[in-house]
Amino acid sequence: MFFDLPQIAVIGAQSAGKSSLIEAISGINVPRDSGICTRCPVQLSMSSFVKEWKCSISLRIEYDPSGNQQGNSTLIDFCTLSSNDRTDVDLWLRRAQASILWRERPVSDFQNMSSIELKRLKPGEGSMLAFSMNVIQVRLEDPEATDLTFIDLPGLIQNASENEIAIARNLVEKNIQGAETLVLVTIPMSDEMENQESARLAKQADPSGIRTIGVLTKPDTITRGAIGARERWKDILQGKLYPLHHGYYCVRLADDEERAKRLSRSESEALSSEFFKKTDPWSQFVDRSRFGVPNFVKDISRLLLGMIEANLPKLRIAVDQMIQECSKELEAMPAVPTSDPSTEILLRVSDFCREVKRAVMGEDHKFLVHDNQRHYQAFKAAIERTTPDFWPFDSKEFFRNPGLHVSGGTVGPFDLKDVLKEIAEALTWELPGTVPFDAIKNIVLKSTTNWPASTNKCFDAVFQSTRSAIEVLVNSHFKQFSKLETLIKTLSDSELDACRVEALILIQKLLSHESVPLYTQNLQYFAAEKSKWLSNYTNVHRTSRPSSPGPIMTSSYDDALSVMATVSAYFQVASKRFVDHIPLAIEHELNQVFATNIHQRLLDNIISGSDVPGRMQDLLSEDEEITAKREFLKQRLARLREIQERLSQFSI
């Protein structure tokens, strides 16, 4: 249920006259047998705002075979009967109940079963449940009916297995808990009041008795000699024993002989009225308002209507809000394809590829570009951390870090002695006063040999971001069709992997360019950087003082300072071009190539092979969960609007 609507729950022991009472109220025949008849709740809604009699039966499935509530509710139309079929209502109710108890079989299996075939079924054996929490909904339109809604619950049984007894009791307990539910307890006068388990359950659910109404049935079973029993039931009816807020009613219902005669409702009511007028002690009552089905129905209808009117403002607000929420959720569902499958798939593929290209270029779905820019910034920072960390001092052991380069560097530190050592180890047949080029090259390579790790890390991060973005777009365009979604994702992953292989070839070439030879044509920038760094290193060297006592060196370090400046200048030139080349290579050779190629790759696969139309039709078969959810929302919306309409009728 959407919320706790005012309703009447009819409970009682097996053979308490519950079925006869429902027949008397509704005018329809319900199943009756010597054993258990009702094995699931039956909700009966009666409306008199009609010109012709009609009865619609539906199955409301909310629980699985184990009794666990499902995430959604399914309403299955079972049958619609006209006035010519009104004598067949009990047969159709038996069929509906059999279908609810045996959910593994198609509904159609039961819609043509004969009464003999139905009696052969064995509830509780094999796959057929003994009881079910799922509900049979009966919508009765009858100009002669009283507008009522009540739910008939399985009778409380004694002669059955412990499991069946417990299930029947649980069904009753669950359905009488609601604060807006009137509990109608049928009590046979052929038994003792103290033996009525239904009365005890009603007392547990409604301790104050303000929701409980007692209906005393079978008064014609009390013999003339049972004087004590007559007086006790008389006291109960007058509220002297077991008092209830709404009191008790006493009804005399049709027996088997009268039912066999198929008496009309008015004929049955006449027999009942005659019985109470002529039979003691009922004939002695001055107030006759508590006798007979018509009085009972009139009062309970007024009581239910009063509850509805009291809750009407709250109910209308709740229904309107739920209709709005359900409509929004339904609108958000993927639209059902209306075009030819081939056309639909090709359009969706084109839209998907267009969005991929726009995402790569940053024109839409900017999260991809934003993610990749973060990866490129991290890559740039990692390259900067490989800057050679030169300390222009005699020995780094006696000086603090001058802070000339990026903090957290991974290459160095190198002091003047370290550089002189590199020069000495690189010497071959150079003339005196000439610094060997290998000394510069070897120090540069100590930095650039760290670049592949950072580059590959950046490439892998961008690749994963791109793959994740494509998954998001695939899901956005194709989630409605699981087979098509799987195919598009598989092909997209394959194409992206192919682009990855080609892009990595270029990345490796760019990395090799930054090994040997060391080269630049950016001479002006290189010269400016070298001059700047030579000035910085020379000034720091001349003004430095050791942080701890140590020997003062007087040797010239001009060559070492020159090497420091040359290496630092070249690193600036090389690193600045490298941190641009790698992101551009990834974007052009991975992302943009994928965005360019994916459309043709998808078309080549989808429209190739035999039976393309059949394959298209299969690919466009909607995911069952989506279809089920859409149907559930449609049914939910229809039920809410029906409730809204009925609430409007109450307002009128």
Side-chain angles (χ1 to χ4, degrees), residues 196-455:
Q196 303 306 309
E197 185 181 8
S198 57
R200 288 195 295 273
L201 294 180
K203 183 70 173 176
Q204 291 175 9
D206 178 31
S208 61
I210 60 173
R211 296 191 292 112
T212 305
I213 301 171
V215 180
L216 308 181
T217 63
K218 303 186 179 182
D220 47 348
T221 61
I222 305 177
T223 62
R224 289 184 176 275
I227 299 173
R230 286 172 177 266
E231 288 301 316
R232 189 162 56 255
W233 287 114
K234 179 181 176 182
D235 289 344
I236 291 172
L237 188 59
Q238 291 176 331
K240 296 177 182 179
L241 293 176
Y242 308 104
L244 294 173
H245 180 76
H246 297 295
Y248 294 84
Y249 291 83
C250 185
V251 295
R252 188 261 182 199
L253 304 170
D255 56 24
D256 291 341
E257 182 181 353
E258 292 168 6
R259 277 193 297 273
K261 294 178 181 178
R262 295 191 177 275
L263 299 177
S264 66
R265 185 182 299 177
S266 59
E267 289 173 330
S268 294
E269 290 173 357
L271 288 175
S272 173
S273 178
E274 187 71 14
F275 169 80
F276 287 117
K277 285 180 182 178
K278 295 183 177 181
T279 306
D280 288 337
W282 325 122
S283 59
Q284 302 171 11
F285 278 68
V286 177
D287 182 5
R288 318 289 302 166
S289 63
R290 293 281 169 166
F291 294 105
V293 171
N295 287 332
F296 162 70
V297 170
K298 180 183 67 175
D299 288 354
I300 201 168
S301 175
R302 187 186 300 118
L303 181 60
L304 186 63
L305 183 60
M307 292 175 64
I308 293 174
E309 288 175 343
N311 286 274
L312 199 56
K314 179 180 69 176
L315 291 174
R316 289 172 64 183
I317 292 172
V319 170
D320 291 346
Q321 182 177 351
M322 294 184 75
I323 286 177
Q324 187 177 9
E325 292 173 354
C326 188
S327 297
K328 285 183 179 179
E329 194 172 355
L330 190 57
E331 289 172 4
M333 292 288 294
V336 179
T338 56
S339 59
D340 171 72
S342 298
T343 304
E344 180 75 26
I345 289 177
L346 294 178
L347 286 174
R348 286 177 179 268
V349 166
S350 295
D351 289 344
F352 163 70
C353 294
R354 189 180 303 111
E355 280 205 45
V356 168
K357 184 167 290 187
R358 290 176 63 83
V360 166
M361 301 307 295
E363 297 170 3
D364 203 356
H365 301 290
K366 297 181 184 296
F367 66 87
L368 174 59
V369 171
H370 294 165
D371 281 350
N372 289 348
Q373 284 181 339
R374 283 192 291 271
H375 299 319
Y376 297 142
Q377 288 295 326
F379 166 70
K380 179 183 177 183
I383 297 301
E384 289 175 347
R385 286 194 295 273
T386 64
T387 302
D389 189 12
F390 292 123
W391 293 18
F393 308 132
D394 299 335
S395 173
K396 54 183 175 285
E397 296 179 11
F398 305 110
F399 292 86
R400 293 189 180 91
N401 185 351
L404 296 173
H405 301 287
V406 63
S407 61
T410 58
V411 180
F414 303 101
D415 58 23
L416 293 170
K417 285 184 177 180
D418 293 328
V419 175
L420 288 175
K421 183 180 179 183
E422 291 286 345
I423 294 173
E425 290 178 351
L427 281 171
T428 56
W429 297 106
E430 286 83 3
L431 294 174
T434 303
V435 174
F437 178 73
D438 279 359
I440 296 171
K441 181 188 72 174
N442 291 340
I443 298 176
V444 169
L445 292 178
K446 290 181 187 294
S447 291
T448 58
T449 51
N450 291 287
W451 290 3
S454 299
T455 302

